[in-house]
Amino acid sequence: MRMIPQLSDRPLRGHIRNLALLTLCALGMSLTACTPNKMYHQGAVKLCRDELGVSGSSSDVSVVEFDEQGDAWDHKQLGRAIKRLEQSPGVPLVVTFVHGWRHDAQPCDENLEMFRGLIATLQDKLQATSFKVHGVYVGWRGGEIKESKVLGPLNDVLAAPSFFSRRSETDRIARVPLTNALLSLTQAARKKAGGKAVIVGHSFGARVVEHAMSQAIVTTSALSSSKQRLPMPADLVFLINQASESLTARQLKVALTNWPKDSAPAVVAMTSESDSATGGIWPLGLKLATLFGGGGKMRDYEMKIHDKPKFESQRSYYTTTTGHDARQITHRMCPAEPGQEVVQQGGNVLGEVVRRIPLQGKTWELRKAAGNEGADFVIYSDAYWVISIPKEILDGHSGQGKEGIFNDNMREIMANLVMYSVPKTGESSKKAPLPPTPEQAQKAQAQGGIH
């Protein structure tokens, strides 16, 4: 008897699923378009009043835009920003922000609105001081397609192919025109005694900042001496959830090995432990790229650990982001444990307390990393701090809610490091003394020691 094969509906279900995905992608493509290579702000900075509910005036934030080749679209934009600093009614504190992937300088871009909110909040916090906060938003073509809120998560799928082109774009943005703009803003802020300049980069924007400022920082450090420390190109550089190769941080740390131990850092990189974009997607993409020759030829570093030879692959640094490389993490944030010289967190060992920072009614400690799980050693640097941030402080790659990466916790940490780690511009930039724990403060107050 001839057997008749039974037909299965599995292949049919697979075809239907694939057809549905193709249909969704086709729908997504029909609802999106390429982002234009254009300047968005001519003259006064344009504002957006959308559902984020952020208010403010155009004088709070200047916008400086760069084209696909890293040239400024209009030099008058930087000129207007500098003029505002020079005419500042108080001591200028300029905060320059470089956005990341899938963002640009459109008036309603979420990053621009988020940054405007940060500047307004910082100004409120500093009302009792002589500082006048000025924000400068650096815009570049961080996305290739116009994303629609209607598409929701499908935007992630449609934007994914632009990862490599936008990563390459960061190399062009981090050229001489941007470095010149950043240094010009610092110089303008410092024309008034006590003026400060802070630079912040997020995601691919952090990669841009790191590349644009590294050589200026190294040059200034090399030309300084123990008797005369030249002022840094910025009072502090923050790299938040940086989408940047750990290899760059390693090279910069090695170049700054002679950084004075009693000085504040030049660079502070902060990465959320829950940032899956730089912790998972980035390594996958870069490992795939190296299979086809991406990154060029690589070798091994020969090292000695406990007097035993050890070889470290350059590729392992190239395919890992700084904040997720256990060898690079120099500090961690943890709940305060007064009196404990050493704190054990799983496989991580935390040592000296550098800062105590109150966050939403709870005291946290910034401690030096004495040992990191998964690493035989830590590349410690006084010049380049790499801080691992718990999910409770910053959740995910872009944060949560309308404040994003600039939530209350991150604002407090950044303000603490800016205002206390670098007391005054032009001085030796020695670290401020450690503030007392709540218990120590209560005891001293009872004895009349703190008023």
Side-chain angles (χ1 to χ4, degrees):
M1 179 184 296
R2 184 166 63 91
M3 301 296 294
I4 300 176
Q6 297 292 315
L7 296 177
S8 171
D9 64 344
R10 288 182 182 177
L12 181 61
R13 288 202 304 269
H15 288 311
I16 293 174
R17 182 178 64 253
N18 292 338
L19 181 61
L21 287 173
L22 288 172
T23 302
L24 282 173
C25 288
L27 176 62
M29 293 297 288
S30 67
L31 294 174
T32 60
C34 291
T35 55
N37 183 30
K38 60 175 284 187
M39 179 173 65
Y40 292 97
H41 301 268
Q42 297 181 5
V45 176
K46 297 178 182 177
L47 302 175
C48 176
R49 304 280 192 240
D50 62 8
E51 69 276 8
L52 293 178
V54 177
S55 61
S57 69
S58 58
S59 62
D60 297 327
V61 174
S62 302
V63 177
V64 179
E65 299 173 79
F66 293 84
D67 64 22
E68 285 276 275
Q69 296 304 316
D71 275 323
W73 274 103
D74 183 355
H75 292 285
K76 293 179 181 177
Q77 289 183 326
L78 177 61
R80 285 191 289 268
I82 290 175
K83 186 176 181 180
R84 283 175 178 161
L85 288 171
E86 293 176 341
Q87 297 177 348
S88 175
V91 177
L93 168 59
V94 59
V95 181
T96 304
F97 176 63
V98 183
H99 65 78
W101 187 29
R102 298 167 64 180
H103 291 279
D104 51 34
Q106 293 185 63
C108 287
D109 187 276
E110 291 178 355
N111 270 200
L112 179 52
E113 293 296 291
M114 173 185 71
F115 181 60
R116 186 174 285 117
L118 168 69
I119 297 303
T121 302
L122 286 177
Q123 189 60 68
D124 287 342
K125 286 181 175 292
L126 296 173
Q127 278 185 350
T129 73
S130 58
F131 281 109
K132 169 60 180 175
V133 184
H134 297 267
V136 179
Y137 182 91
V138 174
W140 58 285
R141 190 167 172 254
E144 289 188 335
I145 63 170
K146 290 182 178 179
E147 299 184 21
S148 171
K149 292 181 179 179
V150 176
L151 298 176
L154 188 56
N155 285 311
D156 298 335
V157 178
L158 297 174
S162 69
F163 172 86
F164 289 104
S165 71
R166 295 304 86 195
R167 177 176 170 272
S168 297
E169 176 62 15
T170 63
D171 292 329
R172 294 190 289 272
I173 296 299
R175 287 176 176 171
V176 170
L178 176 60
T179 303
N180 176 65
L182 295 175
L183 296 179
S184 297
L185 291 168
T186 297
Q187 183 182 35
R190 290 177 178 170
K191 283 186 176 181
K192 284 193 176 182
K196 293 182 183 294
V198 177
I199 302 173
V200 185
H202 171 242
S203 185
F204 271 156
R207 187 175 192 270
V208 169
V209 171
E210 187 176 43
H211 285 214
M213 296 299 291
S214 288
Q215 294 193 43
I217 292 172
V218 170
T219 300
T220 304
S221 178
L223 294 176
S224 297
S225 66
S226 58
K227 294 182 179 180
Q228 183 182 16
R229 298 294 301 173
L230 299 178
M232 281 290 113
D235 290 286
L236 205 51
V237 173
F238 287 107
L239 308 177
I240 302 177
N241 286 341
Q242 64 194 111
S244 183
E245 302 88 341
S246 176
L247 183 62
T248 305
R250 185 188 188 280
Q251 293 169 342
L252 188 52
K253 285 183 178 183
V254 170
L256 298 173
T257 51
N258 293 324
W259 192 262
K261 291 185 177 180
D262 62 343
S263 297
V267 179
V268 174
M270 297 186 284
T271 297
S272 171
E273 295 173 353
S274 63
D275 180 7
S276 60
T278 59
I281 298 175
W282 172 282
L284 177 62
L286 268 292
K287 285 176 182 177
L288 288 173
T290 58
L291 293 177
F292 300 97
K297 298 291 184 181
M298 299 189 193
R299 65 179 178 89
D300 290 341
Y301 295 116
E302 185 175 356
M303 310 172 63
K304 278 191 176 182
I305 306 296
H306 303 301
D307 295 326
K308 293 182 179 180
K310 181 178 177 61
F311 295 91
E312 289 281 318
S313 167
Q314 279 183 330
R315 181 173 279 100
S316 68
Y317 288 94
Y318 180 78
T319 58
T320 308
T321 54
T322 304
H324 291 280
D325 189 337
R327 298 164 297 191
Q328 297 281 16
I329 298 172
T330 60
H331 298 75
R332 293 182 184 271
M333 291 289 297
C334 66
E337 295 195 29
Q340 296 294 320
E341 293 185 5
V342 177
V343 174
Q344 189 84 26
Q345 280 190 339
N348 303 315
V349 181
L350 311 183
E352 177 188 344
V353 178
V354 179
R355 302 299 306 162
R356 291 192 182 94
I357 306 173
L359 301 176
Q360 298 180 339
K362 180 180 178 181
T363 302
W364 288 74
E365 292 176 338
L366 176 61
R367 286 179 175 261
K368 288 185 178 180
N372 293 319
E373 185 175 9
D376 296 329
F377 59 91
V378 175
I379 307 175
Y380 194 79
S381 172
D382 290 297
Y384 193 132
W385 292 5
V386 180
I387 306 175
S388 182
I389 302 292
K391 181 179 179 180
E392 299 95 307
I393 294 176
L394 177 62
D395 188 8
H397 184 66
S398 299
Q400 303 296 320
K402 67 180 183 181
E403 294 175 334
I405 59 171
F406 297 131
N407 61 28
D408 289 340
N409 293 329
M410 293 298 288
R411 284 197 295 258
E412 287 293 338
I413 293 173
M414 293 168 69
N416 186 289
L417 293 175
V418 170
M419 303 308 296
Y420 297 102
S421 293
V422 190
K424 290 183 181 180
T425 301
E427 292 188 358
S428 61
S429 297
K430 291 186 177 181
K431 300 173 187 176
L434 190 68
T437 64
E439 293 80 5
Q440 291 171 335
Q442 290 176 2
K443 183 178 179 180
Q445 202 164 30
Q447 296 173 350
I450 295 179
H451 302 281

